[in-house]
Amino acid sequence: MSKACLDAAVMTASEAAALIRSGRLRAEDLVRACLDRIEAREPVVGAWTWLDPDAALAAAREADRSAPRGALHGVPIGVKDIIDTCDMPTGLGFSPYADRRPSWDAACVAACRRAGAIVLGKTVTTEFAYFAAGKTRHPRNRLVTPGGSSSGSAAAVADGMVPLALGSQTAGSLIRPAAYCGVVGYKASHGEFSLAGIRPFAESLDSLGILARSLEDVTLMRQVLLGRCQPAVAPVDGTAPPRLALCRTPHWGNMEAAAREAVHDAVARLRAAGASIDTVELPAALAGAEDAQYAVMAHEAWRNYPFEYERYPVQTSAAFRALCEAGESVSPAAYRAALARIGEARAAFARQFAGYQAWLVPSALGEAPLAEDGTGDPIMSRLWTALHAPCVALPHGSGPRGLPLGIQLVAPKGGDAPLLDVSAWAARYLVPG
């Protein structure tokens, strides 16, 4: 493929991998195109905390000299900066750790490299993957946040700097940036992927995920992370549309009007395509699950970061310190009660879900807010994260400021593969803004 025909800003990882395997695209040309895009746009977007162009090009040349190693052979990816890499710093979004260099790859990075992926660099995260924002701005408007904490990964994919990136979620840290930036986001079921080599924030909630340009790319990366690069299960057949449930959640009234309209429009389009969509309410047993999520997150963050809290009283943010102080006030008995509450809610959700292939819920309260106001409210994701549910953010429509909107599809824990099939079916009928 000639460089004139190569548009790295729109090419999916699946397309790139197929072209590289066929010999019609050189990995070096793809990596160069991504680096050119980064050079042009990084001063505006600020998605990266570490890049080594020479190393990336050397890895691409080696890929071009070698037989295909796996499903991502020669494909560049971005890695969130809480995920360890043996050849790059992992700074956790925290300035005193900017030069922290682990001697190992996280399990997810090792799996990607084994499949032939080229780690282009480390993407910006908020401090310890919590709320204190990094330098990244929204690709469409530099005054606007891309969300948190997987901000750099979402912005890099949205801006065409890289086709795939790894992110994570403890509250709403992956789905919200995906929704704000208008890309596909997949948060796996809790425990679906190994978290070895990823600094834990709240281990009872942390989940790895993927930011991509298509569901096909998400499925490809998921297979790599599971160590099974076999052909994907075919998406739900167009002649047998799924049975879905619309759940507006108790926060519907707090959403921007355009975001509510986007959800209703998505429902109308999916119904017109043949989907059966009921309207459901959250079971009573889920009341309080969001509060329990916060209690668990705060308590576990306090347990996991005592060194940083004590050693760096000036460098740590006020938001992080307030969370740790809240976590310290959660007694062991209250912590156990919060975990039990979440367990009961998880079981109730699975019971009410029976008979559906996915629940359709809002992905965010609205368009991305101004960066000066923070990284946005994760309220539309807290519950599903607490339930260990797999979640998929799909872009659909745009708001009054021209920024992306979308929907979220969720399922009970362990329902990742069927959820991705339904999401692939639904994506055919949605209209990204």
Side-chain angles (χ1 to χ4, degrees):
M1 175 176 288
S2 69
K3 291 188 72 175
C5 297
L6 173 58
D7 189 350
V10 299
M11 182 176 289
T12 68
S14 301
E15 291 167 344
L19 289 169
I20 291 170
R21 282 196 303 273
S22 71
R24 291 186 291 156
L25 174 65
R26 294 194 311 161
E28 181 179 357
D29 289 340
L30 177 59
V31 169
R32 276 192 190 280
C34 290
L35 291 172
D36 288 347
R37 178 72 178 179
I38 292 169
E39 183 178 10
R41 293 285 296 163
E42 178 64 6
V44 175
V45 179
W48 301 86
T49 188
W50 175 266
L51 286 165
D52 189 339
D54 291 340
L57 288 168
R61 294 186 195 106
E62 179 60 31
D64 287 331
R65 291 191 293 266
S66 307
R69 294 181 56 191
L72 291 175
H73 186 83
V75 176
I77 66 170
V79 175
K80 184 177 178 176
D81 197 34
I82 62 166
I83 302 174
D84 286 342
T85 41
C86 68
D87 52 355
M88 303 174 185
T90 303
L92 311 178
F94 186 52
S95 58
Y97 290 175
D99 296 324
R100 174 181 173 268
R101 283 186 172 265
S103 300
W104 50 81
D105 277 339
C108 57
V109 175
C112 290
R113 292 198 209 259
R114 186 171 60 234
I118 296 169
V119 178
L120 206 60
K122 305 302 283 291
T123 56
V124 172
T125 180
T126 57
E127 175 197 44
F128 306 129
Y130 190 51
F131 275 171
K135 64 179 181 177
T136 310
R137 293 296 180 265
H138 198 287
R140 299 194 193 181
N141 184 337
R142 67 178 305 168
L143 299 179
V144 169
T145 180
S149 62
S150 301
S151 51
S153 289
V157 171
D159 201 54
M161 297 176 174
V162 71
L164 270 176
L166 292 171
S168 67
Q169 181 159 303
T170 306
S173 299
L174 188 142
I175 295 298
R176 185 167 86 265
Y180 285 170
C181 292
V183 298
V184 175
Y186 160 57
K187 183 204 81 70
S189 291
H190 182 268
E192 181 80 353
F193 300 136
S194 172
L195 299 183
I198 303 176
R199 178 68 187 263
F201 191 77
E203 60 274 13
S204 295
L205 302 167
D206 295 343
S207 295
L208 187 64
I210 301 163
L211 293 134
R213 295 180 189 150
S214 72
L215 264 300
E216 185 180 8
D217 284 2
V218 168
T219 298
L220 180 66
M221 175 69 97
R222 178 173 179 269
Q223 291 170 326
V224 166
L225 296 177
L226 292 174
R228 292 174 172 83
C229 297
Q230 299 171 358
V233 176
V236 174
D237 190 289
T239 61
R243 187 179 180 208
L244 308 176
L246 168 64
C247 181
R248 294 187 177 90
T249 82
H251 308 292
W252 183 259
N254 296 326
M255 293 174 62
E256 296 172 7
R260 293 196 298 267
E261 291 168 7
V263 171
H264 283 152
D265 185 68
V267 168
R269 288 173 181 270
L270 298 181
R271 278 183 174 144
S276 170
I277 306 180
D278 299 329
T279 299
V280 297
E281 301 292 333
L282 290 178
L286 270 64
E290 290 170 345
D291 291 340
Q293 184 273 340
Y294 182 82
V296 169
M297 179 176 69
H299 187 74
E300 292 185 353
W302 167 69
R303 290 192 319 195
N304 289 330
Y305 286 86
F307 176 79
E308 289 79 7
Y309 182 84
E310 297 293 339
R311 180 70 175 268
Y312 298 105
V314 175
Q315 293 92 333
T316 46
S317 69
F320 174 75
R321 297 185 69 79
L323 181 76
C324 289
E325 288 160 9
E328 185 176 14
S329 70
V330 177
S331 68
Y335 171 65
R336 290 192 297 271
L339 288 174
R341 181 77 176 184
I342 290 172
E344 294 165 0
R346 193 176 304 132
F349 172 51
R351 288 192 299 270
Q352 184 146 340
F353 185 88
Y356 297 106
Q357 289 162 280
W359 278 20
L360 191 158
V361 301
S363 55
L365 290 175
E367 290 178 296
L370 293 173
E372 65 186 27
D373 296 330
T375 60
D377 194 331
I379 194 62
M380 289 304 186
S381 291
R382 280 191 185 278
L383 174 62
W384 315 114
T385 304
L387 299 181
H388 292 177
C391 307
V392 175
L394 296 175
H396 179 65
S398 58
R401 290 180 288 143
L403 298 176
L405 298 170
I407 64 167
Q408 183 176 187
L409 296 175
V410 301
K413 181 179 181 180
D416 299 60
L419 179 66
L420 288 170
D421 288 342
V422 172
S423 299
W425 180 91
R428 301 173 193 170
Y429 305 102
L430 301 180
V431 184

